[in-house]
Amino acid sequence: MNVFEIIRWARDEGISLKVDGDRLEADSIPPSRLMAKLLTHKALIVELLKPAGESPRRRAWMVSVSGYRFFLIGPRMTRTQALALARWRWAEAEIVD
């Protein structure tokens, strides 16, 4: 299950997630399975939910994995979000500027 599915799951449960600084806050206590997923992926969820003005966001980022370069394309995300998403799939991934 990826981070976007976890956020959608929380929304479907009627739980509103908010970010305060680097803290993830929920308006009610999530079920235990959802809580475990939220805690496991907390850093990436916080990065995804941060307000857009805090850091520049792009839809495409150049990624390098073992010498191969390709574009990671998706929703608007910061460099940190793109790196976290790339490393979720490829542990040795790097963002190329």
Side-chain angles (χ1 to χ4, degrees):
M1 176 174 282
N2 67 37
V3 176
F4 298 107
E5 292 170 336
I6 295 168
I7 294 170
R8 186 176 308 123
W9 181 12
R11 186 193 65 210
D12 291 346
E13 290 283 335
I15 298 168
S16 176
L17 300 174
K18 297 175 188 162
V19 175
D20 182 18
D22 286 334
R23 294 183 51 198
L24 181 63
E25 299 177 352
D27 62 353
S28 62
I29 298 173
S32 60
R33 287 184 56 224
L34 176 57
M35 177 68 92
K37 293 286 187 182
L38 289 170
L39 292 174
T40 302
H41 300 287
K42 178 183 170 187
L44 186 54
I45 293 170
V46 167
E47 282 298 317
L48 285 170
L49 296 179
K50 274 188 180 177
E54 291 188 19
S55 54
R57 295 176 181 239
R58 299 186 342 207
R59 291 187 186 274
W61 292 89
M62 175 72 76
V63 177
S64 176
V65 178
S66 301
Y68 294 100
R69 289 185 175 195
F70 56 92
F71 282 101
L72 175 66
I73 300 171
R76 296 181 67 79
M77 57 189 134
T78 64
R79 184 180 195 285
T80 305
Q81 293 169 334
L83 181 60
L85 192 56
R87 286 191 175 163
W88 173 74
R89 178 64 178 92
W90 304 281
E92 67 278 0
E94 291 295 329
I95 300 293
V96 181
D97 289 324

